[in-house]
Amino acid sequence: MTPQIEGIKGRVIETPKGGWAANTWYVAEVASGKNNVFHKTLVFSGDQGTAKSARIINPSYDNVVDTLADRFVVRNIEKLGKLADFKASNDVEMKERAYYVASIKRGDDKPVIGLVFTGFLNGGNNTPGGYSFVYVEGENSADEYKDCDVTLLRLIMTEATLDDEDEDEDWED
């Protein structure tokens, strides 16, 4: 389904129930243009907690972190929470094409909590190979998984869950 098929003629960017919150994660249904098919994606609201400061994080966009306000239609926004609020799990099984809360260390920097997408597990020792990235909140781009020291802390959801294809995981404890 596209905005044009649904009769949407102008830009529509909805506000989540309760309004935007700073440094918070959401899932939204997005179409980039009138003829673009709607798809679900993760959204990070940023420090300002507004549609203007929000960024879209989606593995199909490669390492680009797009501005939410540039989309044609953003709707059905569901609040997920803050990564820092998720408790670490003692036993984190790595799954293919899944989102995780993780400790991310890049170079000599201290580790930070961020989002990891594992992509395909075709790297050495069944680790993430292609199509994998890490995202540190507030940045405007993502880094390749292999360029960082990553410790998975908690599975958030699989890509299939985001696309409503399975019901394995949930963001809330």
Side-chain angles (χ1 to χ4, degrees):
M1 195 61 74
T2 68
Q4 184 171 11
I5 291 171
E6 290 188 15
I8 300 170
K9 297 184 187 319
R11 179 169 289 205
V12 176
I13 299 181
E14 294 181 356
T15 300
K17 287 181 185 173
W20 290 99
N23 299 311
T24 302
W25 288 88
Y26 298 84
V27 170
E29 192 175 13
V30 174
S32 296
K34 277 194 266 188
N35 297 311
N36 181 245
V37 174
F38 282 103
H39 61 284
K40 285 191 176 179
T41 188
L42 293 177
V43 175
F44 179 66
S45 65
D47 288 339
Q48 296 171 16
T50 65
K52 194 171 190 172
S53 69
R55 301 284 185 249
I56 296 173
I57 292 83
N58 188 305
S60 65
Y61 303 166
D62 295 321
N63 287 350
V64 177
V65 179
D66 289 334
T67 304
L68 177 92
D70 290 342
R71 300 299 126 207
F72 187 68
V73 177
V74 180
R75 65 184 188 186
N76 300 323
I77 304 168
E78 299 173 34
K79 183 177 178 178
L80 300 173
K82 299 178 185 236
L83 294 184
D85 292 342
F86 291 97
K87 295 179 178 68
S89 176
N90 292 333
D91 185 27
V92 180
E93 175 189 352
M94 187 179 296
K95 293 185 177 186
E96 193 166 83
R97 303 189 66 72
Y99 297 92
Y100 291 85
V101 176
S103 173
I104 302 166
K105 186 172 184 344
R106 300 179 295 179
D108 294 333
D109 294 339
K110 289 173 41 174
V112 295
I113 300 299
L115 180 79
V116 169
F117 179 74
T118 56
F120 298 106
L121 300 183
N122 58 2
N125 297 320
N126 205 31
T127 58
Y131 219 55
S132 304
F133 64 83
V134 302
Y135 176 70
V136 175
E137 293 177 343
E139 295 190 0
N140 293 330
S141 65
D143 293 324
E144 289 188 39
Y145 189 99
K146 66 183 178 183
D147 295 337
C148 306
D149 182 17
V150 175
T151 303
L152 300 178
L153 301 175
R154 181 177 175 98
L155 174 65
I156 299 171
M157 67 176 55
T158 64
E159 189 175 57
T161 303
L162 181 64
D163 295 332
D164 292 329
E165 293 175 15
D166 70 32
E167 300 296 328
D168 286 343
E169 298 299 328
D170 195 294
W171 277 71
E172 299 183 350
D173 288 326

